Amino acid sequence: MELIKKNQTGATMVEALGVLTIVSMLGVSVISLIGNIFDMFNQAVIVNQVRELQKSISDRYKFEGNYSMLFEGRDAEAVASFLCEEKMAPFQMCQNGRLRHKGGGDVWIMPVSVDEEGTPDYSKYSMEFWGLSNKICVSIAQINWWTQKKSDIYKMVINYGQGNRQLVVNMPSVVEEGAENFPVSVNSVIKACSNDDNNDIMWIFY
């Protein structure tokens, strides 16, 4: 009888270990699933932030034909503060007068320079999103800007400060050595977006 009890105890311990293993595996799966859902949520929010900010600036200044009233007399920090004060930026992006996207990185809106001296071209502006994770970089680099069969986009640059990983994408009418044309290929985006959380994307709009 005593031997049978020992065997039963041993079987119970094996079963308990099996249950613990299954529970651990389920726990890891749940954590991974939650992480993926959170990443997808952040991606969707940042895509909406990009679209909303671009549309707000375009709608406000399109009738003037340029963006001089947004930039003249303001540096990049003052422009960010102005966009928040005028409620042109999504309110979730405004943090103490600065623009920050859902991923936590800075957002900068600046005029485009036409020469090495930094002379601004007020007919265009750049929107820069910094500190993007790999997944978010890949996601927002593939935004479809032609949902209304037209677009104000002129150029996109992924990781413009990171050498060989840089990807430049232009409008089909713009010819630039080493650059691609819209629509951008998925493979090119994946190669350009690094695996760390230090990606940056710049869009230039008319």
Side-chain angles (χ1 to χ4, degrees), residues 58 67 123-125 151-154 171 173-174 204-206:
S58 177
Y67 303 95
S123 67
K124 302 183 186 72
Y125 70 92
S151 176
D152 296 327
I153 197 166
Y154 177 81
M171 289 289 290
S173 58
V174 179
I204 295 178
F205 299 99
Y206 288 108

Side-chain angles (χ1 to χ4, degrees), residues 3 12 26-27 32 41 45 67 92-93 102 111 122 144 176 189 200:
L3 181 60
T12 303
L26 287 173
S32 177
F41 172 75
V45 170
Y67 303 95
Q92 306 97 325
M93 297 181 69
K102 178 66 175 175
Y122 290 128
N144 180 9
E176 183 177 349
V189 169
D200 49 72

Side-chain angles (χ1 to χ4, degrees), residues 130 157-167 198-202:
W130 294 4
V157 185
I158 302 176
N159 288 330
Y160 43 91
Q162 299 187 30
N164 294 331
R165 298 193 74 92
Q166 183 183 86
L167 172 66
N198 194 34
N199 291 284
D200 49 72
I201 297 182
M202 175 179 69

Side-chain angles (χ1 to χ4, degrees), residues 43-52 54 127 129 136-147 151 153 156 158 169 182-184 189 201 203 205:
Q43 291 171 31
V45 170
I46 294 176
V47 168
N48 288 336
Q49 289 177 340
V50 174
R51 287 190 179 279
E52 188 175 341
Q54 186 270 331
M127 179 188 298
F129 275 54
I136 291 176
C137 175
V138 171
S139 177
I140 67 174
Q142 298 178 75
I143 292 176
N144 180 9
W145 294 104
W146 283 267
T147 54
S151 176
I153 197 166
M156 177 179 73
I158 302 176
V169 187
F182 286 109
V184 61
V189 169
I201 297 182
W203 296 274
F205 299 99

Side-chain angles (χ1 to χ4, degrees), residues 30-44:
V30 168
I31 291 171
S32 177
L33 178 61
I34 291 173
N36 287 335
I37 292 173
F38 185 71
D39 283 343
M40 290 172 64
F41 172 75
N42 278 348
Q43 291 171 31

Side-chain angles (χ1 to χ4, degrees), residues 50-62:
V50 174
R51 287 190 179 279
E52 188 175 341
L53 184 57
Q54 186 270 331
K55 185 177 186 304
S56 180
I57 294 173
S58 177
D59 289 349
R60 177 75 172 266
Y61 295 101
K62 186 181 292 185

